């Protein structure tokens, strides 16, 4: 994960043909889903925090589920 503020904060590779990019300049946060068809949208700081929290909860639930399946 890069932290080249201002600019690209992170580029998360999903597979060979898709990635999620997060960029920030001042108070503008842009999330880009780059694939065959790219999608770009801007979010507020509050929305970005809500997205982070939601992803953290989902990741924690997935990790717990994986542990149960492997046990």
């Amino acid at each position: 994960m890069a932290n080249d503020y201002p600019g690209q904060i992170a580029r998360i590779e999903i597979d060979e043909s898709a990635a999620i990019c997060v960029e920030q300049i001042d108070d503008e946060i842009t999330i880009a889903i780059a694939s065959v068809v790219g999608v770009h949208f801007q979010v507020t700081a509050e929305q970005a925090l809500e997205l982070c929290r939601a992803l953290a909860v989902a990741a924690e639930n997935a990790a717990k589920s994986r542990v149960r399946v492997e046990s």
Side-chain angles (χ1 to χ4, degrees):
M1 184 177 299
N3 194 357
D4 301 333
Y5 179 80
Q8 188 173 61
I9 300 296
R11 180 179 174 88
I12 303 159
E13 298 290 329
I14 305 301
D15 60 27
E16 299 95 26
S17 64
I20 297 173
C21 301
V22 178
E23 297 178 350
Q24 178 187 3
I25 298 176
D26 296 325
D27 67 343
E28 291 185 0
I29 301 166
T30 301
I31 300 169
I33 302 169
S35 65
V36 176
V37 177
V39 176
H40 294 72
F41 54 94
Q42 290 187 337
V43 296
T44 65
E46 292 79 19
Q47 290 169 323
L49 287 170
E50 187 175 349
L51 177 59
C52 289
R53 289 181 190 116
L55 288 171
V57 168
E60 186 175 328
N61 290 344
K64 287 177 185 175
S65 178
R66 183 179 318 144
V67 168
R68 282 194 305 266
V69 169
E70 291 174 355
S71 298

